[in-house]
Amino acid sequence: MDLRQLDALLAVAEHGTFSAAALALHTVQSNVSTHIAKLEDELGTVLVDRASRALTPEGEVVASRARVVRSELDGIGPQLAGIRQEVSGNVVIGVIGSAAGWLAHRLGRATLDTHPGVTLTIIEASTAQLRPRLARHELDLALVNLPVDDRDITTEKLFTENVVVATLPDHPLAALDVISPEDLAAHPLLLPARGTAFRTELDADLARVGLALHGRIEVDGVRLLTEMAAAGLGPALVPASAAHADDPLVIVPVEGLLMRSVGLARPRNVAASAATRAVVELLADLVADEGPAQEGIHPGS
């Protein structure tokens, strides 16, 4: 088994065909086929279904291990550079939309100013979309809604934030100074999608007092919920970082609900590169320094 064989398998997994994998690896299709055939002979199993070009279950297992190997090898150079105080390398970070709204541009600026040798790739997606990408080692780290229940991922809390309602001024909820769980249960709302960590926490909070939320529309993306509220589709129940008191929205705090927790998630059992560690430090500093100025956000709590 050698790296060329593993790289060929990963290229087929990512690009879908032997020909596309060959293009990505700057080689010919016959080389990709030969590498995979030799790997299959050595392991004694079929790794790629030749009819569908999809990885077999055994192929998925090998590809998962290969990603870890490739990640470790790719981290050698940047980690050695970090020891020499020359932090460089690529860092791929996933960010949920609400946190991206106030953190992404600050993180980009801080990275450029502090570590110009680091190339930062920011991917905005929901926690549900980021979690499997972390587990497959496609991301170095991610800002996610906590909790994340996955044995392949480790997490630490960065901040908590209040829950608010974003609504147009003509809705009855806009006239309230503070919204209670009873107020929420009395109106159809724009809500986070069922199955998301945030929605699960909201439903549990209401259930504890014998109430339930009534969804008008459910969306896996809290910033989109705020945009839909501004478009007149109804009041949206969102975390504070997703809401901005711009015309035409009114932002009203909600009492009696647990605060939403946002944390940093990383693949378990993978040594972080010097570049990744540098970005983690920048994130922690940004949250501590800038978080208190953001309405409804509480660093480290």
Side-chain angles (χ1 to χ4, degrees), residues 234-248:
L237 188 59
V238 294
S241 59
H244 304 282
D246 301 326
D247 262 350

Side-chain angles (χ1 to χ4, degrees), residues 102 159-162 240-241 287 290-299 301:
W102 72 278
F159 62 89
T160 57
E161 54 185 322
N162 297 338
S241 59
V287 170
E290 304 287 343
Q294 310 301 312
E295 185 69 27
I297 291 178
H298 312 280
S301 56

Side-chain angles (χ1 to χ4, degrees), residues 14 106 117 301:
E14 181 177 354
R106 290 181 169 90
S301 56

